[in-house]
Amino acid sequence: MFLHKNYINGEWIETEEKVEVVNPATLEVLGTVPDASEKEAKSAVDAAHQALAGWAGLSAYERSEYLANWSRLIDEEQEELAKIMTLEQGKPKKDAIGELVYGNAYMKWYAEEAKRVYGEIIPASTKDKRIFVKHEPVGVVAAITPWNFPAAMITRKFAPALAAGCTVVLKPSEETPFTALKLAELAEKVGIPKGVINIVTGDAKTIAGVWQKDARVRKITFTGSTPVGKILMKDAAETMKKISLELGGQAPLIVSQHADLAKAVDGALQAKFRNGGQACVAANRFLVHEDLFDEFVERITARTAELVCGNGLEEGVHVGPLINADAVEKVEKHVNDAVEKGAEVTTGGKRAHVGAGHFFEPTVIKGATDDMLCFQEETFGPVIPVSTFKTLDEAIQRANNTPYGLAAYVFTEKMNEAIYLMDRLQFGIVGINDGSTSAAQAPFGDIKRVVLAERVEKKELWNI
Ligand code: SIN
């Protein structure tokens, strides 16, 4: 089931050094993958560079066909891929299937978009001249992907790059490399030409270090933590690479006085418990109008208490393990800090002893305040801290008082209120009566940190 090699220039490569991959639910070692050295990182770029002219030179229809065929195989192998993902990442198998559907939507969308990379003709200032604008592939793209969505973050990077005619070198998280390698096997099966995609596993610093120094790599795309994103951005400047970063979040979820409470509770559960709260778009700060506060807490406590935490391969499990021991420690620290500062745990609140792995009980905290860690940092775990507000402007001000600007959620039945909030919330994505906003066809991104970085430095906003 597990592929133990790297995929470079259409070949499966072994190395002497290995990294162990551990099942976070059982702590069993699932297997090993290469701990690639600078040599493998460089040969991946050699291969991608060599393949670039051929791939970019195909017609858009040919590239589209490759992506469509790859996506068909991903659908066919869904069961196997989901099992691998649950074993290495921990999410319940049903959620792993959900991720594969979501992730494969990128393949399907960009297989179509490949054919629609239109150019432009702009009127010139003189009549004997024409201005043609033609889109060109950026070149070799280096992609670095996280462990929380081991398939979707890969397809989200591969699909647009390949559609545009770029070739890719990709380093998956060392915690979840097997899903990536399985995807590469499927790409090989559909005959994607050698060198067009390359997967290198191992130490991020070593691999990214080589890719950053190599001027043939023209773009870095990264999903992961904000501190690593900052380093990558600085290093990319040396060879003037383009860069796309998708970093942390600290999403507020606002339940207005005019919300449909049933919808708000469903949406809140969706926005929190997808992947056990381990998502950058996960709702982290729940702000509920004072008129609905008690009933919201009562209902969400009851629903959260029903969630079954356990090994994602078992039937009926809703929340799997966290990825590692540090993640459990962070969640525990946030809960303890909230309790010390006066909040009340209405369900959960401690480590769950449902296996050898890294489990934490699905938790609701009543009476969260802005000074608590759970309101200042990404918890990245199954915790719902609920606070109350009196006016919408107060909710907006508190929601915006963070350097993060990725996602926000709003629950209201009033159209004018929804628009008022949408226009004022400083977040790239605002879900209105919707706890699940990510979609292949929608833009996904952050606003704000860059704009507000200076205010954070001056301590006008919370630091992280
Ligand atoms: C992430 O958490 O990194 C991505 C989540 C998503 O695509 O919805």
Side-chain angles (χ1 to χ4, degrees), residues 342-364:
E344 179 196 342
V345 171
T346 58
T347 186
K350 51 188 193 309
R351 291 169 190 245
H353 301 290
V354 290
H358 309 296
F359 297 100
F360 201 91
E361 292 175 349
T363 298
V364 176

Side-chain angles (χ1 to χ4, degrees), residues 102 146 148-149 153 156 223 246 274 278-281 438 444:
Y102 166 51
N148 59 345
F149 291 92
M153 295 307 97
R156 182 149 86 195
T223 299
E246 198 259 283
R274 173 173 178 240
Q278 301 173 108
C280 53
V281 288
S438 306
F444 188 100

Side-chain angles (χ1 to χ4, degrees), residues 255-257 287-296 387-391 394:
V255 180
S256 105
Q257 189 180 11
L287 298 164
V288 181
H289 189 271
E290 58 182 357
D291 290 356
L292 302 181
F293 180 73
D294 287 336
E295 203 181 337
F296 180 85
S387 186
T388 183
F389 68 86
K390 284 184 195 306
T391 65
E394 178 205 332

Side-chain angles (χ1 to χ4, degrees), residues 7-11 43-58 62-64 66-67 70 107 137 139-143 154 157-170 183-184 187-188 190-200 211:
Y7 186 63
I8 299 173
N9 202 23
E11 280 169 29
S43 54
V45 180
D46 293 344
H49 186 248
Q50 184 91 35
L52 182 63
W55 182 250
L58 293 181
E62 287 168 310
R63 287 196 299 272
S64 164
Y66 278 118
L67 284 177
W70 193 2
M107 292 297 204
V140 174
V141 174
I154 289 179
K157 295 190 187 314
F158 269 141
L162 298 182
C166 298
T167 55
V168 184
V169 293
L170 183 135
L183 288 171
E188 184 188 29
V190 298
I192 293 196
K194 67 179 191 164
V196 169
I197 70 152
N198 305 275
I199 311 250
V200 184
W211 292 349

